[in-house]
Amino acid sequence: MITDGQWRELLWRRAEDPGSIRRAYQSRKRRHSLLNGKSTLFLVAADHPARGALGVGGDPLAMADRRSLLSRLLTALANPDVDGVLGTPDVIEDLLLLDGLNERVIIGSMNRGGLAGADWEIDDRFTAYDASSIATFGLDGGKMLLRLVDSDPGTIPTLEGCARAVTELAEHGLMAMVEPLPYRRDDHGKLVLEKDSAALSRASAVAAGLGSTSAYTWLKLPAPQEPEVVLDTTALPALVLGGVPSADPADDLASWGRSLQHPTVRGLVVGRALLYPPDGDVAAAVAAAAQVLRAAKGVQE
């Protein structure tokens, strides 16, 4: 929970002391490694608003309330099993000013130009962090979204931009988290995620080959129905994404758990499903996901 005093202080620093953001980056206590002592990685994601994706469930503006979003993120980060956060500069800097990211992994979101619902959505330009700023600000890596739509030429510049980002992050020795998602357009032109094993395997193979080296590349993948087929596509480390929450959180947990058992999978990156659970209990949702991760990897509490 963010107190009224903390909120007023955040707003004051944003308006009257913008230099405090750079100081917060510089003074942050960094963690020594991406993986924790259990060799896993559990991140909460909050880069949706920068792409104009504000809805959760039936509420089209669920993520539009910044104070509420930050409070939910701080609740999630209070769980010791949560290793860090994935977000755009505005969200990361709010959390830094609230002193919420010491000794946490921070992954900066890079391409948010493919605005949700826009005609050019698949041409996903890099509009947030770049590799240089991620290195300068002392973050731990960068994440990029790669939606593959064979019928949409916007896929081409996105592919090229992601390949360049992978190379540039590797030059700094930083993780490149690539999220390859195969889509098609239905008869009404709406984008539909292809969840079959063939499409997900193809997308994973394309993402794994981006850039001049894959030494620092990780994949962020949806939980497939056939984990052993899709996740055998590459030897790169992978993280399971939460995606759009289903109507039943128990179904989401079960789906994640099956994929987490695969040896290439090291953890979870989940946003809306944990930050906006149907019952509103963020702490319980995060704890349940952490338990699924521990059980899948045979880690004792």
Side-chain angles (χ1 to χ4, degrees):
M1 181 65 67
I2 297 175
T3 67
D4 289 343
Q6 288 174 313
W7 185 245
R8 286 194 297 270
E9 175 72 10
L10 174 62
L11 299 182
W12 182 89
R13 294 176 76 179
R14 278 292 195 180
E16 302 198 35
D17 187 15
S20 64
I21 292 174
R22 181 171 290 274
R23 296 195 298 273
Y25 275 122
Q26 293 172 339
S27 63
R28 182 178 76 91
K29 296 178 182 177
R30 293 187 64 181
R31 200 164 91 168
H32 296 300
S33 64
L34 280 172
L35 295 171
N36 56 37
K38 302 181 286 290
S39 291
T40 60
L41 183 62
F42 182 7
L43 303 174
V44 287
D47 61 345
H48 309 81
R51 202 174 66 80
L54 299 171
V56 181
D59 184 354
L61 294 176
M63 299 189 78
D65 186 326
R66 180 50 57 94
R67 182 172 175 177
S68 172
L69 172 60
L70 294 172
S71 292
R72 292 165 186 269
L73 283 166
L74 290 173
T75 297
L77 288 163
N79 187 308
D81 286 314
V82 174
D83 296 292
V85 65
L86 160 64
T88 46
D90 59 326
V91 174
I92 296 301
E93 290 161 3
D94 283 345
L95 291 172
L96 284 169
L97 293 176
L98 290 165
D99 198 28
L101 294 177
N102 282 313
E103 297 184 353
R104 297 291 187 173
V105 171
I106 304 178
I107 305 299
S109 187
M110 302 177 76
N111 60 327
R112 299 280 83 189
L115 302 185
D119 291 342
W120 70 87
E121 183 172 353
I122 299 305
D123 186 349
D124 204 341
R125 305 295 175 94
F126 283 64
T127 58
Y129 286 111
D130 57 21
S132 177
S133 61
I134 287 170
T136 298
F137 294 142
L139 306 191
D140 301 285
K143 173 257 181 178
M144 60 212 75
L145 176 60
L146 176 60
R147 286 165 295 184
L148 302 170
V149 183
D150 288 356
S151 62
D152 194 322
T155 297
I156 300 169
T158 306
L159 267 170
E160 184 180 23
C162 288
R164 185 181 308 112
V166 168
T167 296
E168 292 173 351
L169 286 165
E171 289 172 352
H172 292 286
L174 294 168
M175 173 210 267
M177 183 189 296
V178 186
E179 181 181 0
L181 298 176
Y183 276 86
R184 61 175 176 81
R185 292 194 183 275
D186 65 16
D187 294 338
H188 303 286
K190 182 179 178 180
L191 289 169
V192 179
L193 178 63
E194 296 189 281
K195 299 180 181 180
D196 62 281
S197 296
L200 290 172
S201 294
R202 177 177 184 253
S204 299
V206 170
L210 293 176
S212 62
T213 176
S214 62
Y216 295 92
T217 303
W218 289 50
L219 299 182
K220 178 175 181 262
L221 300 168
Q225 294 180 348
E226 298 178 293
E228 68 285 352
V229 175
V230 176
L231 295 167
D232 281 351
T233 303
T234 173
L236 295 180
L239 297 167
V240 173
L241 65 90
V244 178
S246 72
D248 186 353
D251 289 343
D252 292 332
L253 290 171
S255 175
W256 302 339
R258 290 190 294 272
S259 295
L260 286 168
Q261 294 176 23
H262 193 277
T264 63
V265 176
R266 291 304 186 115
L268 286 167
V269 184
V270 187
R272 293 167 291 182
L274 299 185
L275 296 175
Y276 297 87
D279 64 2
D281 193 338
V282 175
V286 171
Q291 174 56 34
V292 168
L293 176 56
R294 285 195 300 268
K297 293 304 182 185
V299 176
Q300 299 296 320
E301 291 193 55

